[in-house]
Structures are given as structure tokens and as C-alpha cells.
Amino acid sequence: MVKDFAANPGSALRSLAAVLATLATAAAVVVGAVLAVFAAATVAVIAIVGSLLLALSGLALRARRTVRARARGSDIIEARHQGGHHWVAYGWNERR
């Protein structure tokens, strides 16, 4: 019944329906734009955090290699516990 009434040319309900449809369309466009910006911001934050984690892991690996290289050339010798008060040292005669 309302559908038939709105279909009549020149009815007030038809004009009101057109205005409400326009407002609903505008609201849908605004909500869609806000959601698109939110999604883009989320992707950007994920990319930034991922890049930071990759950079930190690279720095950690470089620091680990540097520490290993320094430890090989340092004055540290290797010693193994044989039991009781007995220790055997290796590498002490190879110092330079």
C-alpha cells in the first residue's frame, strides 16, 4: 500500500523518500570512506612495525657476529672441568 502511494507522481512521500535515500547514500559514502582510511592506516602501521622488527633483527645479528669475532681473538682460553679440582685448559699456548 505504501509502495503504491509512493509511486504516485507528485506525492509528498515520494519527495521525502528521495531526500532520505540521498541522506542514506551520503551516510554510506562517509562510513565507507572512514573505514577505507582506517584500513589503510592499519596496513601502514603493520608495515612500519614489520620494518622496525626486521631492522632490529638485522642489528642483533650484526652485534652477535661482532661479539663472536671479538671472542675468538681475545685473551679468553677454553677450560674443561675433569672432576674434583682438575681442570684442563686449551688454547693457552696459541696466544699471540
Side-chain angles (χ1 to χ4, degrees):
M1 179 172 196
V2 173
K3 186 176 180 183
D4 294 333
F5 181 72
N8 293 336
S11 74
L13 191 57
R14 186 173 186 188
S15 300
L16 182 63
V19 170
L20 290 177
T22 304
L23 289 176
T25 303
V29 167
V30 168
V31 169
V34 168
L35 288 176
V37 168
F38 181 74
T42 303
V43 170
V45 168
I46 289 172
I48 290 170
V49 170
S51 298
L52 287 175
L53 286 174
L54 188 63
L56 286 175
S57 65
L59 288 174
L61 286 175
R62 186 192 315 175
R64 185 176 178 189
R65 277 189 249 128
T66 304
V67 169
R68 282 187 182 172
R70 286 183 188 163
R72 287 182 188 151
S74 66
D75 293 335
I76 298 173
I77 61 173
E78 181 182 349
R80 295 191 183 179
H81 188 233
Q82 298 295 322
H85 295 286
H86 301 283
W87 289 82
V88 177
Y90 299 97
W92 59 272
N93 58 347
E94 298 173 5
R95 282 200 221 169
R96 294 180 188 165

